[in-house]
Amino acid sequence: MKLAIVAALVSTAAAFAPNAQPAAQTALNAESDRRNFLGAAAAFGAAAIPAAASAKVDYENISYLGGGQIVDINNANVRAYIRMPGMYPNAAGKIVSHGPYKSVSDVYNIPGLSSAEKDVIKKYESRFTAKEPSPEYVIDRINNGLYR
């Protein structure tokens, strides 16, 4: 990425440098100018692309984010609860909106939790775990980038 930025700066600076080419325009010169322009445009375009997000690739608790039977109540997003009938969207939304939780039993202390929601949570309590909150995943708990 740094190399692309340096290349863009050098090519931009080179565009304003005095041209020492002969005054006569030939087909060879036109081809060279076209290549220089396209090279500079490509370098600028590469520099304008935003850097990738810095998510942890080797997150040790990745299996608890919704791909397995056990769901981490501190890091999994709201869609991880879809596989549990009755949890999504009400109880799941309240779980991901509050927290972090030190233990699974802390979920029952959520303000505004109805008795029906507590019953559903109790039904799936064995499928929950409370891992240490990870900033890379906590940020996407409520809205994981799916827009309609």
Side-chain angles (χ1 to χ4, degrees):
M1 184 67 176
K2 290 179 184 177
L3 183 61
I5 292 171
V6 169
L9 290 173
V10 168
S11 65
T12 304
F16 294 105
N19 197 352
Q21 295 180 355
Q25 183 72 9
T26 64
L28 244 163
N29 290 343
E31 183 66 29
S32 176
D33 289 344
R34 199 174 305 128
R35 279 193 199 133
N36 289 339
F37 173 74
L38 291 175
F44 179 73
I49 296 173
S54 59
K56 281 187 182 178
V57 176
D58 296 328
Y59 179 60
E60 63 275 0
N61 296 322
I62 195 85
S63 61
Y64 300 119
L65 297 180
Q69 290 295 318
I70 307 294
V71 174
D72 179 8
I73 59 175
N74 283 327
N75 294 305
N77 70 48
V78 70
R79 295 183 61 84
Y81 299 92
I82 289 178
R83 301 162 110 193
M84 302 174 199
M87 286 291 295
Y88 183 84
N90 296 337
K94 289 179 182 176
I95 290 173
V96 300
S97 296
H98 297 81
Y101 306 100
K102 294 198 184 296
S103 68
V104 175
S105 61
D106 290 348
V107 173
Y108 296 106
N109 299 329
I110 295 173
L113 200 63
S114 70
S115 61
E117 291 167 337
K118 286 182 182 180
D119 292 342
V120 171
I121 292 171
K122 184 69 173 168
K123 178 180 175 182
Y124 296 108
E125 184 176 11
S126 64
R127 292 181 58 184
F128 297 147
T129 185
K131 302 289 183 186
E132 188 69 27
S134 178
E136 293 87 1
Y137 297 102
V138 170
I139 195 169
D140 285 336
R141 288 179 54 196
I142 296 171
N143 182 0
N144 62 345
L146 296 175
Y147 302 98
R148 292 188 182 179

